[in-house]
Amino acid sequence: LPKRQSGVTFRKACELAFKRSIPPFFEPLGAKPFFLKNKEYVSMLQNINPFYSSLSLSALILFPLLGGLFVSFITESKIRTIRIVGLCTSFITFLYSLFFWLEFDNSTPKFQFVETIQWLPYSNINFVLGLDGISLFFVILTTFLVPICLLVGWSSIQKSKKEYIIAFLVLESLMIAVFCMLDLLLFYVFFESVLIPMFIIIGVWGSRQRKIQAAYQFFLYTLFGSLFMLLAILLIFFQTGTTDLQILLTTEFSERRQILLWIAFFASFAVKVPMVPVHIWLPEAHVEAPTAGSVILAGILLKLGTYGFLRFSIPMFPEATLYFTPFIYTLSVIAIIYTSLTTIRQIDLKKIIAYSSVAHMNFVTIGMFSLNMQGIEGSILLMLSHGLVSSALFLCVGALYDRHKTRLVRYYGGLAQTMPIFSVIFLFFTLANMSLPGTSSFIGEFLILVGAFQRNTLIATLAALGMILGAAYSLWLYNRVVFGNFQPNFINKFSDLNRREVFIFLPFILGVIWMGVYPEVFLESMHTSVSNLIQHGKFY
């Protein structure tokens, strides 16, 4: 079709597109297929079918921002309207993100839905957005958790309610941008921008007196580490003349330069994971943050560091990655054993889950640096699983704190009689946290151990100790809180979970079981991207 003909209907255009073996709704790759070289034909399809070009990552990023802007114009007195607008905005963003999964082409390792927006064209720095099998599920996890966070604060947040919803919508936009960004400098900008709304969430809506100190500690720890990454990005820019990841992946750095750059990136990502000994900020931030803040912190922000390793450090500096693999293994094993033992002796419910998060995330780093298919895919699955399980455990703690205003374990006991629904849900997520077969964590940890065993049997054996210690602190916690004797001197009023809270937990339960019983749905989207990562670094 050289021109758009007036008689061409939408149905005819779709039939023609299907005959030529191209889905009519989108171009899977950034490049045009060979039979769509004629620009007029493409514009015809775009004119006839608006969905053809509607899957836009920039729209996904901007929509929560626009929702936050709209909420800011509503008066504070109409709090119910503000909550509904915020919830609808985040829920529509989640539904829209699912279309990217539906339209995702599993057969190609290239970045999909690529958009380039000129920002500083003279300096060769542009907004480049794109998704592949590694980043796709992190975007969906982000859009899934934000509506949950808004529902959690529905009745428990009593001050600055409008600003609370705006903060979460802005945070959602920034987190999606981090996972979609294919330009190093702009990745750094959004990577650091995420700190601002999170700093405000902890400092303003935190639950105890030390919340300001915890907010500053969180902000300064992560900001200081990232300054080294900024220097490394400037060094890369002056050497290559670009910060576009797709070009940098084809650029070779000398081995000495790779080691220098890898250390700079490591300083930034290790604080975010967090790895021992730079993990001190995490338990403090978790304890002081509101429940929704802890959910986002555990579910998404901890994944930024491990995602950074997968997206930048491993593919861009393959020789340095191999050089530092024993160092990462050593740090990770120390972190798994040390934080698991530390978890057992904690008395604060949130600190117990926070320290267990450190152990799980260091399990992830072992999988990533095993540099084989099973290890890397297992680490991505465990990150997604941890985003669900750890977030749900923080919601369980939040449900107790909202009722009894304490998180100290010694004040609880005998909840099996007084809160049976809560006890069953808490048991499910406790078992998922200790990687019971049939739950999502088991698949991730099993694949990581398979991958690690191929590289180093000693490391795999020591890492497996983490699973045993994980069972110890998980069951020990559950036993003290749910069974045992009543504590009527401390807590004498009880109410089980209400409908809103049960509704919040349901998607987490379904997600954990789905990922545990049929993980292939998630793995098939990762296969090509992960195998391309391994071949690119010549790790096989």
Side-chain angles (χ1 to χ4, degrees):
L1 289 173
K3 294 181 181 176
R4 180 184 174 188
Q5 297 168 6
S6 57
V8 176
T9 61
F10 169 69
R11 180 168 179 167
K12 281 185 182 177
C14 285
E15 285 173 0
L16 180 62
F18 275 113
K19 280 178 188 173
R20 298 187 178 202
S21 305
I22 173 79
F25 300 133
F26 78 118
E27 288 175 30
L29 314 180
K32 303 274 188 291
F34 67 94
F35 45 77
L36 286 181
K37 285 177 182 172
N38 189 329
K39 289 182 181 177
E40 292 180 330
Y41 176 72
V42 177
S43 64
M44 182 206 76
L45 262 184
Q46 287 173 331
N47 289 335
I48 292 172
N49 182 8
F51 195 61
Y52 179 82
S53 59
S54 67
L55 280 185
S56 162
L57 286 171
S58 52
L60 185 70
I61 293 167
L62 285 172
F63 190 69
L65 266 182
L66 294 174
L69 188 67
F70 183 70
V71 165
S72 66
F73 288 111
I74 304 174
T75 57
E76 185 81 49
S77 57
K78 297 181 178 177
I79 187 60
R80 184 171 175 79
T81 308
I82 290 170
R83 285 171 174 160
I84 290 171
V85 169
L87 186 61
C88 289
T89 302
S90 58
F91 189 67
I92 291 167
T93 308
F94 170 59
L95 293 179
Y96 187 49
S97 70
L98 292 178
F99 280 104
F100 288 91
W101 189 10
L102 294 173
E103 299 290 358
F104 191 78
D105 183 6
N106 297 332
S107 62
T108 175
K110 294 183 180 178
F111 289 103
Q112 301 177 39
F113 315 107
V114 174
E115 292 176 46
T116 305
I117 303 163
Q118 289 197 338
W119 190 52
L120 294 173
Y122 299 112
S123 301
N124 205 15
I125 300 171
N126 301 307
F127 272 95
V128 186
L129 304 170
L131 285 178
D132 69 347
I134 294 170
S135 56
L136 171 70
F137 291 110
F138 291 116
V139 171
I140 294 171
L141 181 64
T142 304
T143 57
F144 167 74
L145 286 179
V146 171
I148 301 289
C149 290
L150 296 181
L151 276 172
V152 168
W154 200 264
S155 57
S156 60
I157 298 298
Q158 298 300 326
K159 63 174 181 180
S160 306
K161 300 167 189 173
K162 182 167 83 170
E163 289 76 9
Y164 173 85
I165 286 167
I166 293 170
F168 271 99
L169 291 174
V170 171
L171 183 60
E172 180 176 20
S173 284
L174 295 173
M175 290 187 299
I176 296 170
V178 169
F179 291 124
C180 297
M181 197 56 65
L182 301 182
D183 184 275
L184 261 182
L185 184 63
L186 287 163
F187 169 81
Y188 172 81
V189 169
F190 286 106
F191 187 76
E192 291 305 298
S193 301
V194 166
L195 297 180
I196 300 168
M198 198 65 216
F199 173 76
I200 295 168
I201 288 166
I202 295 172
V204 175
W205 295 282
S207 52
R208 297 200 314 194
Q209 296 304 313
R210 292 177 60 193
K211 61 187 180 183
I212 304 296
Q213 180 187 340
Y216 274 109
Q217 196 174 8
F218 160 73
F219 192 87
L220 294 174
Y221 248 92
T222 47
L223 184 68
F224 180 72
S226 299
L227 291 177
F228 294 103
M229 182 167 75
L230 178 61
L231 295 173
I233 291 168
L234 292 174
L235 182 62
I236 290 169
F237 177 71
F238 287 123
Q239 180 180 336
T240 61
T242 183
T243 52
D244 190 329
L245 178 65
Q246 297 175 93
I247 298 170
L248 292 174
L249 289 176
T250 62
T251 308
E252 286 193 18
F253 299 95
S254 67
E255 192 169 331
R256 190 172 178 181
R257 181 63 58 85
Q258 277 193 35
I259 288 172
L260 190 67
L261 294 171
W262 193 96
I263 291 171
F265 275 76
F266 171 78
S268 174
F269 297 144
V271 176
K272 274 281 203 297
V273 170
M275 299 181 79
V276 172
V278 286
H279 68 292
I280 302 299
W281 63 270
L282 181 70
E284 197 68 26
H286 267 311
V287 168
E288 303 305 327
T291 303
S294 290
V295 168
I296 284 292
L297 197 55
I300 308 296
L301 293 197
L302 299 193
K303 314 299 180 286
L304 296 181
T306 43
Y307 172 77
F309 279 129
L310 271 179
R311 173 62 73 235
F312 301 105
S313 298
I314 294 174
M316 281 168 56
F317 319 123
E319 291 166 9
T321 298
L322 287 170
Y323 180 80
F324 282 109
T325 295
F327 171 67
I328 291 285
Y329 279 169
T330 308
L331 278 185
S332 298
V333 166
I334 290 170
I336 289 171
I337 296 171
Y338 165 70
T339 52
S340 295
L341 291 171
T342 309
T343 307
I344 294 173
R345 59 182 293 278
Q346 294 303 314
I347 59 168
D348 187 295
L349 288 166
K350 266 196 175 180
K351 270 196 177 175
I352 291 171
I353 303 164
Y355 274 110
S356 76
S357 291
V358 179
H360 280 106
M361 292 312 294
N362 281 273
F363 220 105
V364 167
T365 53
I366 286 180
M368 281 192 306
F369 282 86
S370 61
L371 303 174
N372 50 35
M373 285 286 286
Q374 294 93 334
I376 294 176
E377 286 184 353
S379 68
I380 297 172
L381 262 185
L382 186 57
M383 280 189 266
L384 298 174
S385 167
H386 179 264
L388 295 175
V389 174
S390 189
S391 300
L393 284 170
F394 278 115
L395 291 175
C396 289
V397 174
L400 287 179
Y401 184 79
D402 287 345
R403 285 161 174 75
H404 309 304
K405 300 303 176 201
T406 181
R407 285 194 297 265
L408 297 181
V409 177
R410 67 171 179 268
Y411 293 136
Y412 291 101
L415 292 187
Q417 282 91 3
T418 54
M419 299 176 70
I421 299 173
F422 170 84
S423 301
V424 170
I425 290 173
F426 190 35
L427 174 64
F428 175 81
F429 289 114
T430 301
L431 294 174
N433 197 40
M434 54 185 261
S435 306
L436 186 81
T439 61
S440 51
S441 302
F442 173 75
I443 305 293
E445 293 196 6
F446 177 74
L447 285 173
I448 286 170
L449 289 175
V450 169
F453 202 84
Q454 293 173 29
R455 290 285 176 190
N456 191 318
T457 51
L458 176 63
I459 292 298
T461 308
L462 291 172
L465 280 176
M467 297 178 78
I468 298 165
L469 292 169
Y473 62 67
S474 297
L475 292 175
W476 176 229
L477 168 67
Y478 188 79
N479 190 42
R480 285 183 291 174
V481 171
V482 174
F483 298 116
N485 298 321
F486 284 124
Q487 307 283 357
N489 296 331
F490 304 122
I491 297 171
N492 49 28
K493 289 183 180 178
F494 296 96
S495 60
D496 211 343
L497 298 182
N498 57 36
R499 276 185 301 178
R500 174 178 60 85
E501 289 168 327
V502 172
F503 175 75
I504 288 171
F505 281 114
L506 276 178
F508 286 99
I509 294 170
L510 294 174
V512 168
I513 294 174
W514 183 20
M515 207 182 292
V517 173
Y518 192 60
E520 183 58 28
V521 178
F522 302 90
L523 289 171
E524 65 182 359
S525 298
M526 303 174 196
H527 283 321
T528 318
S529 296
V530 172
S531 61
N532 181 59
L533 173 69
I534 293 165
Q535 288 169 3
H536 175 80
K538 299 183 175 65
F539 297 126
Y540 45 84

